Amino acid sequence: MQGKLRGWVGENNELASMKFWERVAYEHGFVESKRMPTRRTVRVAEVLRRELAACMSQSLDLEGMLITISSVELPPDMRQAYIYVSTLHPELDQEKALAILMRNRKEWQSSIGRRLGLKFTPQLIFRFDKAVERGDRIMEILTKLELEKKVDPSKDQPE
């Protein structure tokens, strides 16, 4: 043990300022990164997405709404699950859809908790995914720029 600790001592070593238990945890890979999701959170998020999609497909409240789950994000403590949903109906009121999702949240949470067998079932928090709208807006801008380029080709000429 003394031989291992000798490498930690020194002013140039960035791990020298850590406490002993932090160094041991870091050395054995038990320190979680707050920036990158762990493999476990990624796996649980994927299983959660699949189970929630099964629950949503059986719900009569969502019939005809065509709501899809874009992604599921879990923080490292896995106490909340942020579910990003999108819809194929642009005229569908997002507030109405979120109200229906939130109304069924507790039932789905308990059903998922029984199926997964986790110590704590994450609290489901629904949010609308704006990625589709942003993608449409970007495509509009690009086509507008392309049309302007065809109409006035002199703008492309360097001076």
Side-chain angles (χ1 to χ4, degrees), residues 16-32:
S17 63
M18 289 184 175
K19 295 179 184 173
F20 175 75
W21 62 270
E22 290 174 330
R23 289 191 305 258
V24 171
Y26 182 82
E27 184 178 47
H28 294 287
F30 292 119
V31 176
E32 285 189 5

Side-chain angles (χ1 to χ4, degrees), residues 4-94:
K4 278 189 170 182
L5 288 179
R6 204 172 314 149
W8 296 90
V9 179
E11 290 182 31
N12 294 336
N13 195 341
E14 59 191 53
L15 299 175
S17 63
M18 289 184 175
K19 295 179 184 173
F20 175 75
W21 62 270
E22 290 174 330
R23 289 191 305 258
V24 171
Y26 182 82
E27 184 178 47
H28 294 287
F30 292 119
V31 176
E32 285 189 5
S33 170
K34 298 205 187 310
R35 295 182 193 119
M36 295 287 292
T38 62
R39 276 186 265 156
R40 182 165 192 247
T41 57
V42 171
R43 283 193 326 253
V44 170
E46 182 59 30
V47 171
L48 191 64
R49 186 190 63 78
R50 201 173 324 126
E51 292 295 327
L52 186 59
C55 290
M56 287 173 68
S57 68
Q58 295 172 356
S59 176
L60 296 177
D61 289 349
L62 299 175
E63 195 167 321
M65 289 187 142
L66 294 177
I67 293 177
T68 59
I69 300 172
S70 301
S71 65
V72 175
E73 290 183 5
L74 282 172
D77 65 355
M78 292 195 291
R79 295 290 180 147
Q80 299 90 18
Y82 299 100
I83 292 88
Y84 292 92
V85 295
S86 60
T87 182
L88 299 176
H89 283 289
E91 66 274 356
L92 180 68
D93 184 24
Q94 292 182 358

Side-chain angles (χ1 to χ4, degrees), residues 97-115:
L98 281 177
I100 293 172
L101 291 171
M102 294 303 280
R103 186 173 60 222
N104 292 317
R105 176 176 63 95
K106 296 275 186 184
E107 178 187 337
W108 294 337
Q109 231 171 270
S110 65
S111 174
I112 290 170
R114 284 191 301 271
R115 288 185 199 171

